[in-house]
Amino acid sequence: MMIDSQEHFEQRFPGYVIAVDSVGACIYINKTFCDWIDSNNVVDGAKENNTNQLDYTEKLQLLSKKMVNTSATNQSGPNSIEFFSKEGYLVVNFVKLGKDDDNYDYFVSSNEFISEKRNRTCEVTGLNNKFSFVEHMQASVNSNEHLIYINLDEFKYVNDLYGHVEGNLVLKKFGDLIDNSFRYEDFIARLGKDEFVILCDSKLSMESILMRMKDINKKFHNAYKDSYPRLGWSWGIAKNDASNYQVTVAKAMSQMQEQKNRKRSLLKIY
């Protein structure tokens, strides 16, 4: 992806005003934003499978629901939404306004774009960022690679109890741990929040991958068990579908979520 294409994508972004009702259904969106979504085949950053196969009205409904959920779980802000297309990648901050007389919530985009997309690295961990990951996966033609999707368990309690500065230190330390456990040929990125990915080069056998993940688990336990006893991690793995990287991500995420759910079930039993 060329930088001038990315800049053009940014320049055409019209901003948005979105009104949603009490159940999160979209009531109003400005037409210029609808046209931008439709004409650029833009996909929002929601993690629902096959989002890119929806028509633009369905995408807008998903987008409005995501804004409601994001603002509800992160009331201290700032809040942001991601947009993808073949031309570029944008992370746009937004503001939630007060309810009107009809009890509708209004969400308005700000002019502030997150700048990590330009340098392609995560400022917290020094790893590749999500923009770099998407670019790398779109260029990948090797179906013998394996993608590992990692999510930290109970990371929110670290931020809530110790603050975001401490949380960032935890993310940096974990990023260093996985970076030092794999090779230069393997592509490692932080996608945002507490999510990481590792695209293992085709020369790395499954046996070697599993040994490395086992070693990470041991080092993770030793590093965090005393300071953050609730903190854990879950992961899933999938063989790369070079024709559609989103399928690969969805499969690895699904495995990761299954592992996370099993842990929660054990906690409920005991």
Side-chain angles (χ1 to χ4, degrees):
M1 183 187 304
M2 296 180 66
I3 292 297
D4 59 346
S5 175
Q6 170 69 29
E7 290 178 346
H8 191 218
F9 186 61
E10 289 181 22
Q11 291 169 3
R12 291 208 316 271
F13 176 71
Y16 53 78
V17 177
I18 299 178
V20 299
D21 63 16
S22 58
V23 295
C26 180
I27 301 301
Y28 168 82
I29 301 182
N30 55 302
K31 186 177 183 303
T32 52
F33 181 67
C34 292
D35 293 342
W36 183 75
I37 290 280
D38 191 27
S39 63
N40 292 286
N41 193 28
V42 174
V43 180
D44 75 272
K47 294 183 174 62
E48 286 83 355
N49 294 344
N50 300 321
T51 308
N52 60 325
Q53 296 177 11
L54 302 177
D55 64 39
Y56 90 100
T57 57
E58 292 172 311
K59 292 176 186 177
L60 292 173
Q61 290 293 344
L62 281 177
L63 175 63
S64 63
K65 289 181 179 179
K66 187 177 182 185
M67 286 185 178
V68 172
N69 293 335
T70 300
S71 61
T73 56
N74 184 26
Q75 296 181 7
S76 60
N79 294 304
S80 61
I81 291 290
E82 300 163 321
F83 300 99
F84 296 91
S85 84
K86 291 182 179 179
E87 286 193 350
Y89 166 61
L90 276 182
V91 184
V92 182
N93 288 341
F94 69 88
V95 177
K96 179 182 178 182
L97 304 180
K99 294 180 182 295
D100 65 5
D101 294 338
D102 294 319
N103 206 32
Y104 295 158
D105 282 316
Y106 283 81
F107 299 91
V108 181
S109 62
S110 75
N111 293 325
E112 188 176 347
F113 298 149
I114 294 177
S115 61
E116 281 189 62
K117 60 186 179 299
R118 292 196 177 280
N119 57 33
R120 291 172 170 77
T121 57
C122 167
E123 294 178 358
V124 173
T125 64
L127 300 174
N128 296 294
N129 65 11
K130 189 169 186 175
F131 176 68
S132 181
F133 169 70
V134 170
E135 197 173 50
H136 186 85
M137 292 298 286
Q138 286 176 333
S140 175
V141 295
N142 192 337
S143 296
N144 292 318
E145 297 172 322
H146 286 86
L147 179 71
I148 300 170
Y149 196 103
I150 300 172
N151 179 252
L152 294 179
D153 303 328
E154 299 290 340
F155 177 71
K156 185 177 183 296
Y157 104 93
V158 177
N159 276 337
D160 290 347
L161 193 60
Y162 301 100
H164 288 276
V165 173
E166 186 80 6
N168 285 345
L169 291 175
V170 170
L171 293 172
K172 176 68 169 72
K173 189 173 182 179
F174 182 72
D176 289 343
L177 173 58
I178 58 176
D179 191 35
N180 292 331
S181 298
F182 281 82
R183 309 163 309 151
Y184 177 80
E185 296 89 343
D186 304 313
F187 186 91
I188 301 172
R190 177 186 172 223
L191 300 187
K193 296 184 179 179
D194 53 1
E195 298 171 318
F196 297 80
V197 287
I198 307 166
L199 185 65
C200 302
D201 182 75
S202 58
K203 296 178 182 178
L204 194 63
S205 68
M206 181 59 70
E207 181 182 7
S208 181
I209 292 173
L210 295 177
M211 286 179 60
R212 291 167 192 268
M213 297 305 282
K214 185 177 180 180
D215 185 57
I216 290 174
N217 193 52
K218 181 180 178 180
K219 291 176 179 177
F220 182 95
H221 181 70
N222 292 335
Y224 296 115
K225 65 178 179 179
D226 294 328
S227 302
Y228 315 105
R230 289 174 54 185
L231 189 66
W233 67 301
S234 301
W235 63 282
I237 187 169
K239 195 169 184 179
N240 187 27
D241 184 338
S243 64
N244 188 341
Y245 80 91
Q246 292 177 322
V247 171
T248 308
V249 173
K251 288 180 179 178
M253 277 184 61
S254 178
Q255 267 202 21
M256 177 276 295
Q257 192 60 53
E258 287 177 10
Q259 186 181 103
K260 190 182 291 285
N261 291 341
R262 285 196 298 270
K263 293 178 183 178
R264 289 172 179 166
S265 297
L266 288 173
L267 288 174
K268 289 179 181 177
I269 293 172
Y270 296 103

